[in-house]
Amino acid sequence: MSADLIITNARVITMDKANPFAEAIAISGNRITRVGRKDDVMALKGAKTRVHDNRGNAVIPGIIESHVHLFIGSVELDLLNINAINDVARVRELVSQHRKSLPKGAVVMAIAATHEQFGRETPITRHLLDSMVSDVPFLVGCFDHHTVWANTKALEAAGILKGRNLPVGNEIVMGSDGLATGELREPAAFMPVLNLMPTGGRDYLGFTTGGNPEPPATAAQRKVDEEFLKRGIAHANSLGITSMHNMDGNWYQLELLDALQKRGELNSRMEVPFHHKNFFRLEQVDEAVEFRAKYQGDMLHSGRVKIFMDGVLETLTAQMLDDYPGYPGNKGAPLYTHEEMLVLVQRADSHGLQIATHAIGDGGVRTTLDAYENARKKNGVRDSRHRIEHIELIHPADIHRLAELGVVASLQPIAGLGVPGNPREPVLSRLGDKLPWSYAWQTIRDTGAAVAFSSDWPVAPLDPFLGMQAAMTVERVSPECPDQVQSLMDTIHGFTLAGAHMEFMEDRKGMLKEGYLADVAVLNADMEKTPASEIAKVKPVMTVCDGRVVFESL
């Protein structure tokens, strides 16, 4: 049978240990039908075969983005990005320009700010935002998506200018005048203002509540939301991404993605979890079994539970084993007690579900490992491949437990403290003398633990080549820090086969191998000849998902 597509004259990096490199690959339907020498592959050329000459440049497996917030990121493509713009006057100017593209009276939102965007002496407050926009609600989202700042109009419209009682771990920061300062920490605090946005906060539901739109989304709203997801997926395709592990989960997102799939418009494989929140009843985690039963395909599937154990270092909400330096009595804000976490994980694990836990501080990581270990003892040992997301700090006594328990370290190199260009404060101050055990990518890898890489988009840019460069160029923040630099092949593995392994699909994707699903990223450079400091310049010229060309550069 002749091939539909042949990619030849390429440096094919297969991730297949039995056949690590090749010159060409052939695709028929949605499967890879040959990988090898150019002449052997070209033997499958037929009258209708498309042949792409890649001019000696790299071809790698389609990138598997193992940690994204697709719906939120898709919506944010239309918002004002103020990343690294540290001058108040310049931001004010950009906001004014951005407003000209919006309908009159629309809520204004900027994204990708940092906690010290304008320096320590100029905190982001409602008064500062009022000086930029005072006539309509104006929001500024933090890059980590754990904080939103709001102007006075937004706080008034949301009914939280005078504060509100919130669940533990969430905070409307109040001023000495008895009114909100504008800083809103964690979802229960900031969702009232995000509900003012055109989507009504539907994009955040899988992240903040795990629930579905109430009242149910109208047909028109569903259409709008489907278009947002299509745009987000197209953006991912342009970066060589063919699979994504979503971190937000609810029936609504699954239904939107399923609608795209049924119309032949789902251009990336999607894995979507059940998001169990700390205010849920324990037995609600059983609903994840229903998610798994309904969605089991190669393009769209479920079978994982997402849990937040703690917050982030910047806002002192990541759970630490010891007090934060300079903050006596503050060990962070865990979202579950140790016992609650043990019980929840044991129940989810008893259903044969995979569990992915957000744990950033060394205390959060330890509690998560304790819960995974307890589940093995109570339910029996199995190939669970439970995950810990982020692991920005780990106690040395816990390093070996990842491999021992079969836990996957799901890490985001682009967030590394030592990555050139990344701000070091306030995280450096939060770590204190624990710095050597932070962002310990290679230290974890050396134990034999599985390591997968991702971006956490839209917390960070989605571009995997930025993440690859970060992994390969990270610097030691101080002499006592171990070297965490990743090799090229380990880095590519982290963005491809490691992601497939993490979702139990390494038998059909993550490698360029005969019989595997045809997910391919065709690149414009030879990655092995590209300096580590220039990997971010590498771009796809073609992306193939499920045998279909879903992106091609002009």
Side-chain angles (χ1 to χ4, degrees):
M1 182 177 70
S2 61
D4 296 315
L5 172 65
I6 290 175
I7 302 164
T8 187
N9 191 20
R11 177 61 169 173
V12 182
I13 302 172
T14 68
M15 289 291 111
D16 179 3
K17 289 183 179 179
N19 183 32
F21 301 101
E23 297 174 339
I25 66 170
I27 294 169
S28 300
N30 73 338
R31 296 283 172 169
I32 296 169
T33 48
R34 190 162 295 177
V35 180
R37 293 170 58 86
K38 287 186 286 187
D39 292 346
D40 293 337
V41 174
M42 286 299 290
L44 294 181
K45 181 178 181 296
K48 296 183 178 180
T49 301
R50 176 181 177 184
V51 178
H52 173 81
D53 182 339
N54 208 43
R55 303 177 181 179
N57 293 321
V59 173
I60 63 175
I63 291 165
I64 299 173
E65 229 303 342
S66 300
H67 188 122
V68 296
H69 304 270
L70 175 63
F71 202 172
I72 298 171
S74 299
V75 171
E76 289 190 1
L77 290 173
D78 285 338
L79 303 183
L80 175 64
N81 191 309
I82 59 171
N83 176 50
I85 302 173
N86 307 121
D87 180 70
V88 173
R90 178 57 179 156
V91 170
R92 183 179 290 111
E93 178 184 352
L94 290 172
V95 169
S96 178
Q97 293 173 2
H98 178 65
R99 290 192 68 179
K100 295 175 183 178
S101 69
L102 301 175
K104 185 177 180 179
V107 178
V108 182
M109 186 166 184
I111 58 169
T114 65
H115 292 268
E116 297 182 1
Q117 181 90 3
F118 306 117
R120 290 188 177 183
E121 303 305 314
T122 309
I124 303 176
T125 66
R126 64 183 174 92
H127 300 296
L128 178 66
L129 301 187
D130 287 347
S131 74
M132 300 180 186
V133 177
S134 60
D135 58 322
V136 298
F138 176 39
L139 313 176
V140 174
C142 184
F143 76 95
D144 62 15
H145 290 72
H146 287 264
T147 300
V148 172
W149 294 273
N151 72 349
T152 302
K153 275 283 187 183
L155 295 168
E156 288 175 339
I160 57 173
L161 180 61
K162 297 181 179 179
R164 179 181 294 177
N165 291 328
L166 299 175
V168 64
N170 299 263
E171 181 183 7
I172 298 171
V173 178
M174 302 301 291
S176 58
D177 59 358
L179 300 177
T181 66
E183 183 173 351
L184 309 170
R185 299 176 178 174
E186 301 299 335
F190 60 64
M191 279 311 298
V193 295
L194 289 184
N195 288 341
L196 303 172
M197 293 292 289
T199 61
R202 293 189 302 278
D203 49 322
Y204 265 83
L205 289 177
F207 173 63
T208 57
T209 72
N212 303 299
E214 290 293 341
T218 65
Q221 289 171 331
R222 282 179 176 266
K223 183 174 177 58
V224 166
D225 295 345
E226 287 171 11
E227 289 301 315
F228 273 125
L229 292 176
K230 284 176 62 177
R231 286 191 58 214
I233 291 170
H235 176 55
N237 294 154
S238 75
L239 300 169
I241 294 168
T242 57
S243 293
M244 288 183 271
H245 300 179
N246 206 30
M247 290 295 120
D248 308 334
N250 55 8
W251 284 111
Y252 185 61
Q253 283 192 64
L254 280 163
E255 290 166 0
L256 294 175
L257 293 166
D258 194 30
L260 296 181
Q261 178 180 222
K262 288 174 178 175
R263 295 201 302 267
E265 298 175 355
L266 184 59
N267 289 338
S268 172
R269 302 184 195 281
M270 294 298 308
E271 190 263 3
V272 179
F274 173 84
H275 190 175
H276 189 94
K277 303 296 292 185
N278 65 336
F279 47 81
F280 282 8
R281 302 183 311 277
L282 174 63
E283 60 271 19
Q284 285 181 255
V285 77
D286 300 348
E287 192 173 358
V289 177
E290 299 176 41
F291 277 40
R292 179 178 61 190
K294 187 166 183 178
Y295 298 100
Q296 300 182 31
D298 284 340
M299 289 300 298
L300 178 61
H301 68 105
S302 188
R304 174 168 56 89
V305 174
K306 172 68 187 299
I307 300 170
F308 270 87
M309 181 61 224
D310 63 2
V312 294
L313 292 166
E314 288 86 349
T315 59
L316 307 168
T317 51
Q319 185 188 9
M320 305 291 265
L321 291 170
D322 308 286
D323 292 349
Y324 277 96
Y327 294 86
N330 187 350
K331 293 183 173 65
L335 297 175
Y336 296 89
T337 67
H338 189 273
E339 180 59 27
E340 286 171 343
M341 189 65 174
L342 262 60
V343 171
L344 172 58
V345 167
Q346 181 185 337
R347 182 156 183 148
D349 179 82
S350 72
H351 293 306
L353 295 162
Q354 186 186 45
I355 302 161
T357 302
H358 166 119
I360 284 182
D362 56 359
V365 171
R366 175 166 294 176
T367 296
T368 302
L369 288 169
D370 288 350
Y372 291 167
E373 183 173 11
N374 176 70
R376 283 164 63 101
K377 290 177 180 177
K378 297 293 178 64
N379 298 333
V381 176
R382 65 181 178 88
D383 184 15
S384 59
R385 305 186 197 182
H386 294 323
R387 311 164 45 154
I388 302 183
E389 312 299 314
H390 309 305
I391 315 181
E392 293 184 6
L393 179 64
I394 188 168
H395 190 278
D398 292 324
I399 289 278
H400 287 273
R401 296 178 70 193
L402 293 158
E404 291 167 0
L405 297 172
V407 174
V408 182
S410 176
L411 310 175
Q412 295 70 44
I414 200 168
L417 191 62
V419 172
N422 280 4
R424 295 188 175 178
E425 292 293 352
V427 172
L428 188 60
S429 297
R430 304 288 188 256
L431 295 170
D433 59 10
K434 295 182 177 184
L435 178 63
W437 301 101
S438 65
Y439 306 94
W441 313 327
Q442 190 62 36
T443 304
I444 292 171
R445 187 185 296 281
D446 287 342
T447 69
V451 175
F453 290 148
S454 56
S455 67
D456 198 8
W457 182 64
V459 171
L462 183 59
D463 190 342
F465 299 97
L466 285 173
M468 291 184 192
Q469 180 169 305
M472 296 169 62
T473 60
V474 65
E475 301 168 346
R476 296 183 182 185
V477 177
S478 69
E480 67 267 22
C481 292
D483 186 3
Q484 304 296 346
V485 171
Q486 304 291 290
S487 71
L488 173 63
M489 292 305 164
D490 280 347
T491 299
I492 295 174
H493 182 277
F495 279 97
T496 57
L497 187 55
H501 170 268
M502 195 156 53
E503 60 176 316
F504 300 89
M505 293 182 72
E506 74 276 14
D507 62 340
R508 54 198 184 279
K509 72 175 186 177
M511 284 192 279
L512 299 179
K513 182 176 180 178
E514 291 179 17
Y516 270 51
L517 294 166
D519 296 349
V520 186
V522 184
L523 308 179
N524 67 350
D526 184 336
M527 294 190 75
E528 294 162 282
K529 295 179 180 178
T530 301
S533 61
E534 296 181 12
I535 287 291
K537 296 179 181 178
V538 176
K539 302 298 176 189
V541 297
M542 179 188 294
T543 303
V544 181
C545 178
D546 205 41
R548 294 173 287 124
V549 176
V550 294
F551 168 78
E552 193 165 7
S553 60
L554 299 176

